C-alpha cells in the first residue's frame, strides 16, 4: 500500500431524485421500527449492553484483524518515521477496545490506552500479555472528545482504528488529537466510511443505519470521515480510499496518517 498526498475525493454523482425519496422513506421506516430501542436507550435500559459489547467486539476484531492484517501492517510500518530523537516511540490509542493493533507496533513502544467503556479492560489485559514487546503506561476510561488526562505535545503518534465511526463529535476528537501530539507527530487512522452516493452500498448504509447503530453500539456507516480529517488543519495528510474485503456495508475505508 503506497500512500500519496490526498488530492482525490469520492465521486458525488448521487442517486436519482426518485431513489433518494425511496431511500429516505425506507430509512424513516427503519427509524420507526427502532423507536422502542431509542426510548430504552434514553431511560438507561440498554446500559447492560456496555457489558456485553466487549465480548462481541473482541470476536469481531479477531476476524477483522485476520482479513485486514496485510493492510494494517502496511499502514503501521510508517510508524518508524515518527520516532523521537531520544527515547521510545510514545503512542496513544484512542478507542483501544481489546488492543487489536498491538501486534503491529514496534518493539519498545510506550502505549497509553483510552476507551470510554471500562468493560474492555479484561480483553485489553489479554492483548497486553500476548504482546509483551510493548511497554504499557496506563488505561484511561475517557471518550475521544475528552483527552484532558493526556498532556499537550506529549505524544509521537495517536492511533484511531474503527473509532471515528462512533464518536459523538469527530471535529472535537481531532482537535484533541492535535493538542496531545508533539509538533511533527502523526495521527494514524483506519476507518470505514460512507460509500459513493451512486452505489447500492450508499443506499443500504442509509436505510439500515438505524438498526446498525443499536447492533454495533453507536456505529455510523454514513460518515464522510475524510472530510473532517482534511478540515482539521494538519500540516500534511497521506490518505487513501480503499475497498476492504468485508461485509458490503463497511467495505469503503480510508487509511493513512496526518502530521501535526
Amino acid at each position: 500500500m503506497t500512500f500519496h498526498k490526498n488530492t482525490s475525493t469520492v465521486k458525488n454523482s448521487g442517486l436519482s431524485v426518485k431513489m433518494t425519496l425511496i431511500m429516505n422513506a425506507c430509512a424513516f421506516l427503519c427509524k420507526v421500527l427502532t423507536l422502542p430501542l431509542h426510548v430504552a436507550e434514553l431511560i438507561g435500559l440498554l446500559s447492560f449492553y456496555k457489558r456485553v459489547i466487549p465480548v462481541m467486539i473482541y470476536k469481531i476484531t479477531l476476524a477483522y484483524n485476520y482479513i485486514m492484517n496485510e493492510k494494517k501492517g502496511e499502514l503501521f510500518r510508517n510508524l518508524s518515521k515518527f520516532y523521537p530523537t531520544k527515547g521510545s516511540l510514545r503512542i496513544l490509542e484512542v478507542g483501544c477496545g481489546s488492543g487489536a493493533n498491538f501486534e503491529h507496533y514496534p518493539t519498545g513502544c510506550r502505549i497509553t490506552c483510552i476507551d470510554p467503556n471500562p468493560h474492555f479492560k479484561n480483553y485489553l489485559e489479554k492483548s497486553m500479555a500476548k504482546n509483551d514487546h510493548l511497554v504499557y503506561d496506563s488505561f484511561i476510561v475517557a471518550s475521544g472528545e475528552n483527552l484532558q488526562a493526556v498532556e499537550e505535545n506529549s505524544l509521537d503518534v495517536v492511533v484511531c482504528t474503527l473509532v471515528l465511526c462512533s464518536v459523538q463529535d469527530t471535529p472535537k476528537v481531532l482537535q484533541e488529537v492535535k493538542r496531545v501530539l508533539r509538533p511533527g507527530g502523526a495521527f494514524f487512522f483506519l476507518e470505514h466510511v460512507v460509500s459513493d452516493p451512486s452505489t447500492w452500498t450508499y443506499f443500504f448504509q442509509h436505510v439500515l443505519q438505524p438498526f446498525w447503530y443499536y447492533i454495533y453500539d453507536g456505529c455510523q456507516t454514513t460518515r464522510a470521515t475524510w472530510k473532517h480529517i482534511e478540515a482539521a488543519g494538519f500540516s500534511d495528510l497521506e490518505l487513501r480510499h480503499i475497498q476492504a474485503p468485508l461485509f458490503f456495508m463497511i467495505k469503503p475505508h480510508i487509511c493513512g496518517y496526518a502530521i501535526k
Side-chain angles (χ1 to χ4, degrees):
M1 186 192 303
T2 303
F3 289 96
H4 305 282
K5 291 189 187 330
N6 185 46
T7 56
S8 64
T9 57
V10 172
K11 293 182 294 181
N12 194 25
S13 53
L15 300 173
S16 67
V17 174
K18 181 179 179 180
M19 288 304 295
T20 299
L21 290 173
I22 293 172
M23 180 185 76
N24 290 338
C26 292
F28 178 76
L29 176 60
C30 287
K31 286 181 180 179
V32 171
L33 293 174
T34 58
L35 186 58
L37 290 172
H38 179 67
V39 173
E41 182 182 38
L42 288 176
I43 63 178
L45 293 181
L46 297 185
S47 58
F48 76 93
Y49 196 50
K50 295 294 182 183
R51 293 181 176 273
V52 176
I53 193 69
V55 180
M56 183 173 74
I57 295 298
Y58 179 70
K59 293 180 179 179
I60 291 173
T61 295
L62 292 176
Y64 182 89
N65 272 6
Y66 178 78
I67 294 169
M68 297 292 286
N69 184 67
E70 183 178 345
K71 295 196 180 299
K72 276 194 174 186
E74 291 174 348
L75 172 63
F76 288 125
R77 274 196 284 275
N78 291 287
L79 288 171
S80 61
K81 300 175 182 178
F82 301 100
Y83 270 87
T85 53
K86 293 182 180 180
S88 303
L89 188 70
R90 300 159 298 176
I91 298 177
L92 170 67
E93 182 148 356
V94 178
C96 59
S98 59
N101 297 319
F102 291 168
E103 64 183 275
H104 296 287
Y105 296 160
T107 298
C109 291
R110 302 193 68 91
I111 314 297
T112 300
C113 302
I114 285 185
D115 200 283
N117 189 340
H119 303 296
F120 272 112
K121 188 174 182 181
N122 289 339
Y123 296 98
L124 190 62
E125 288 174 346
K126 288 182 181 179
S127 291
M128 289 176 176
K130 183 178 179 181
N131 294 281
D132 59 2
H133 64 291
L134 305 174
V135 178
Y136 301 98
D137 286 337
S138 60
F139 172 55
I140 302 167
V141 179
S143 68
E145 293 89 345
N146 180 17
L147 304 181
Q148 294 305 307
V150 183
E151 294 181 9
E152 287 187 26
N153 305 315
S154 63
L155 296 158
D156 303 302
V157 171
V158 176
V159 175
C160 279
T161 60
L162 304 185
V163 170
L164 297 179
C165 58
S166 58
V167 299
Q168 296 296 313
D169 187 340
T170 304
K172 177 62 175 173
V173 173
L174 295 173
Q175 287 175 18
E176 282 288 271
V177 166
K178 286 183 65 183
R179 183 184 66 80
V180 302
L181 278 172
R182 64 166 172 81
F187 169 56
F188 279 68
F189 54 88
L190 176 65
E191 300 283 343
H192 69 80
V193 294
V194 69
S195 186
D196 185 309
S198 66
T199 64
W200 281 107
T201 297
Y202 179 91
F203 179 92
F204 283 108
Q205 282 176 328
H206 285 77
V207 169
L208 299 178
Q209 176 55 46
F211 289 110
W212 193 273
Y213 175 89
Y214 289 105
I215 294 171
Y216 294 104
D217 195 30
C219 177
Q220 301 273 350
T221 60
T222 56
R223 291 186 174 177
T225 303
W226 68 90
K227 294 182 180 179
H228 293 294
I229 298 174
E230 289 172 348
F234 288 99
S235 66
D236 199 6
L237 175 60
E238 307 285 340
L239 182 151
R240 289 193 66 191
H241 289 266
I242 63 173
Q243 291 293 312
L246 301 164
F247 181 61
F248 79 97
M249 288 273 286
I250 55 171
K251 266 184 175 292
H253 272 55
I254 57 170
C255 60
Y257 56 91
I259 302 173
K260 178 176 175 179

